[in-house]
Amino acid sequence: MMRPLPLLLACLCSLPAIAAEPPTASPPPTEAPAAPEQSWIDVTPTPYGPMLMQQAPPPPYRDYQMNRILTPEEKARWLQMAMPMMSHLMQMDAREAMNYFALKYKAKPGVSFDQVVESMMLRANQLNLKFVGKNLIWKEFRAMLHDDKAPRVEVFSFCDIAVGRDLLKVIPEIVVFLPCRIAVMEDADKNIWVLTLDWDVTWLDQAGKQAGITPELRKGAMDIRKKLDSVMRAGADGAL
């Protein structure tokens, strides 16, 4: 079954088109700004209603070429279509809904927080997954908010430099998801958890053909997903 995040991405790529408001009386028209060229995307009738679908290969692009800026009105239209669809798919409260976006493992009994972290670092090094930073957010809870009851929460950032570069060449906006992050967190019962965003990359089997992602790059993205999972499992197991 497709995970919610890639499913949302898929929904956003094939959403029903919103009909234009009926024209009303207005002052003499002024010259409007030219609409962006999107002849390769158009509305297509389907059994489920009109869908915005790709009609042809996208325009040529250069490495690291940023896409156009979407206007607030365009984003609002997309959200108006996306949110009702997601609300129908996920009739649950926010806690449970967010749970579907997380991949997590519970640390084995007896494995300490520091052992989880050390095991993760060792496994990442073995897999050539570069450690690029950490955020000791729980210390800020205590120092800035004087919250001495806050659980220990640390977020670690990793990156496959070659795959990250190649993805940015094709889709510069993917930088908002980089680097990959793994969190280690105590819960209310002092259990230790290892968590990350469950970015199930199987959606690339469909989207990759349209996004200019080569088979090699698709494999690289999938390998990162496997490496992150291995790092998380090593941490949860305390596999020093």
Side-chain angles (χ1 to χ4, degrees):
M1 177 179 293
M2 187 177 286
R3 292 287 186 178
L5 180 59
L7 180 57
L8 175 57
L9 292 173
C11 290
L12 291 176
C13 291
S14 58
L15 292 172
I18 296 181
E21 294 293 334
T24 58
S26 60
T30 57
E31 185 177 351
E37 180 62 38
Q38 287 192 320
S39 58
W40 58 285
I41 296 179
D42 203 353
V43 175
T44 301
T46 76
Y48 309 100
M51 297 283 183
L52 188 63
M53 300 178 67
Q54 182 169 321
Q55 307 296 320
Y61 60 85
R62 305 183 310 278
D63 289 350
Y64 305 109
Q65 179 179 325
M66 196 70 69
N67 287 298
R68 67 186 180 86
I69 297 176
L70 297 173
T71 67
E73 292 76 17
E74 286 176 296
K75 288 191 175 183
R77 277 173 166 263
W78 284 68
L79 287 174
Q80 286 171 6
M81 291 185 282
M83 296 312 294
M85 294 177 72
M86 289 303 294
S87 65
H88 286 304
L89 290 170
M90 300 169 62
Q91 293 292 331
M92 56 188 70
D93 67 20
R95 278 176 51 88
E96 185 63 16
M98 188 56 63
N99 197 23
Y100 276 83
F101 288 88
L103 173 67
K104 58 186 178 182
Y105 298 111
K106 186 177 180 180
K108 288 183 176 179
V111 178
S112 70
F113 196 106
D114 290 334
Q115 287 173 330
V116 169
V117 173
E118 186 176 355
S119 298
M120 285 173 42
M121 294 301 181
L122 287 174
R123 180 61 56 85
N125 186 59
Q126 293 170 357
L127 298 174
N128 293 319
L129 193 62
K130 186 174 179 61
F131 170 64
V132 294
K134 63 181 177 180
N135 183 349
L136 308 182
I137 190 172
W138 67 289
K139 290 189 175 182
E140 297 302 322
F141 292 160
R142 298 189 178 188
M144 303 296 295
L145 305 178
H146 308 293
D147 184 358
D148 294 331
K149 297 181 179 179
R152 187 173 176 181
V153 186
E154 300 183 6
V155 183
F156 301 86
S157 299
F158 299 91
C159 185
D160 184 306
I161 301 301
V163 175
R165 179 203 61 184
D166 291 345
L167 282 171
L168 286 171
K169 284 184 178 181
V170 181
I171 314 171
E173 290 84 1
I174 206 168
V175 71
V176 300
F177 291 107
L178 301 180
C180 301
R181 291 175 290 275
I182 297 176
V184 182
M185 179 177 182
E186 290 178 337
D187 68 9
D189 299 313
K190 298 299 181 182
N191 297 309
I192 302 170
W193 294 85
V194 186
L195 309 90
T196 193
L197 175 67
D198 193 2
W199 60 295
D200 187 338
V201 293
T202 55
W203 66 273
L204 287 173
D205 292 338
Q206 290 79 36
K209 298 175 183 177
Q210 302 179 7
I213 297 178
T214 64
E216 294 77 16
L217 186 51
R218 184 184 294 108
K219 181 180 183 299
M222 292 183 174
D223 285 345
I224 291 178
R225 175 67 171 75
K226 293 177 182 177
K227 289 179 181 181
L228 288 172
D229 189 72
S230 179
V231 169
M232 294 174 64
R233 289 179 182 271
D237 291 341
L240 294 173

